[in-house]
Amino acid sequence: ETGVTQSPTHLIKTRGQQVTLRCSSQSGHNTVSWYQQALGQGPQFIFQYYREEENGRGNFPPRFSGLQFPNYSSELNVNALELDDSALYLCASSTANRLELRLDTQYFGPGTRLTVL
Amino acid sequence: LAKTTQPISMDSYEGQEVNITCSHNNIATNDYITWYQQFPSQGPRFIIQGYKTKVTNEVASLFIPADRKSSTLSLPRVSLSDTAVYYCLVGWGSTLGRLYFGRGTQLTVWP
């Protein structure tokens, strides 16, 4: 167990709807990253939040947005859902230190399985 | 970020040692090499990380040659529960968590 929790576990939506996924990071971690993992593929980086600010974004459209709260928990919001948004959404937390050279170890949650019909 | 290349799949039997090699020809001076393991419908789990030579922990060893253009994850005496996808990643702290995963290597362990 990593101490990272995500909710809900599974979710079914229809095309055009909006969805909010939630993540509680491991205690003491100040950074949360979100990934999308399609079936048979590796996780793809969506964006990262460091101390409540977005700190980098992958190749995802603006309808993917997020928040990080003062307690370092986070939300991923997806608007105008498309069929291709069906995937496992993973949240990962870490204690990023901008001075640290070693690639920070990320602790992943179990994911939310989103199905768009 | 350096691109990595790994075999798509590997098979082994229980009790054998498994070595998964990853190529990263364009690795940068500051890059670390990290391996993650993922079971179906679970998030990836950190296995091991290294910069050069050899690193060993309670679950695996990581061998990195002097030129650092490749690395080998070694799993001693695998069991059925080691069946998973293994990802090789390279990068360093400034990426602040922007991990870039390839398709990984599907390891299947047979009884």
Side-chain angles (χ1 to χ4, degrees):
Chain A
E1 297 297 325
T2 64
V4 178
T5 60
Q6 292 186 244
S7 62
T9 305
H10 297 87
L11 200 55
I12 299 175
K13 291 285 189 177
T14 57
R15 205 168 38 173
Q17 285 189 310
Q18 178 266 344
V19 69
T20 298
L21 310 181
R22 295 178 175 83
C23 171
S24 291
S25 58
Q26 189 177 106
S27 177
H29 286 184
N30 57 15
T31 301
V32 172
S33 302
W34 285 91
Y35 296 81
Q36 179 195 66
Q37 186 173 25
L39 207 57
Q41 305 293 321
Q44 300 298 307
F45 174 74
I46 302 175
F47 46 55
Q48 182 200 58
Y49 280 83
Y50 174 69
R51 294 184 176 178
E52 302 179 56
E53 293 186 2
E54 187 177 297
N55 185 52
R57 188 178 186 91
N59 189 26
F60 282 82
R63 60 189 184 84
F64 285 78
S65 63
L67 283 172
Q68 187 181 29
F69 300 101
N71 65 356
Y72 300 133
S73 65
S74 178
E75 287 183 355
L76 165 65
N77 299 291
V78 187
N79 294 322
L81 283 167
E82 301 177 359
L83 298 180
D84 286 347
D85 295 333
S86 295
L88 181 68
Y89 287 85
L90 296 161
C91 156
S93 74
S94 60
T95 51
N97 181 340
R98 292 178 186 270
L99 300 179
E100 178 63 69
L101 293 182
R102 183 184 300 272
L103 189 63
D104 57 303
T105 300
Q106 295 202 9
Y107 297 86
F108 285 82
T112 293
R113 172 72 62 187
L114 173 64
T115 302
V116 182
L117 303 176
Chain B
L1 293 168
K3 181 181 176 181
T4 61
T5 303
Q6 321 173 217
I8 293 175
S9 64
M10 294 183 67
D11 292 294
S12 182
Y13 292 96
E14 282 190 292
Q16 290 189 332
E17 179 184 72
V18 171
N19 296 308
I20 306 175
T21 297
C22 177
S23 296
H24 28 79
N25 291 320
N26 296 320
I27 190 168
T29 302
N30 291 334
D31 283 343
Y32 280 76
I33 300 156
T34 309
W35 287 79
Y36 280 79
Q37 173 194 55
Q38 187 177 26
F39 299 111
S41 296
Q42 293 186 26
R45 181 177 74 103
F46 172 88
I47 301 176
I48 197 166
Q49 183 180 89
Y51 183 79
K52 61 180 179 180
T53 62
K54 176 184 174 182
V55 179
T56 298
N57 62 23
E58 62 276 7
V59 297
S61 294
L62 179 58
F63 298 93
I64 305 169
D67 66 5
R68 304 199 330 121
K69 293 183 182 299
S70 67
S71 59
T72 299
L73 174 72
S74 181
L75 304 172
R77 299 179 298 282
V78 295
S79 63
L80 297 177
S81 62
D82 291 317
T83 295
V85 178
Y86 292 82
Y87 296 97
C88 164
L89 297 89
V90 297
W92 67 296
S94 72
T95 62
L96 287 176
R98 298 171 219 178
L99 298 181
Y100 290 91
F101 292 81
R103 295 190 67 172
T105 298
Q106 171 66 59
L107 171 66
T108 303
V109 180
W110 302 94

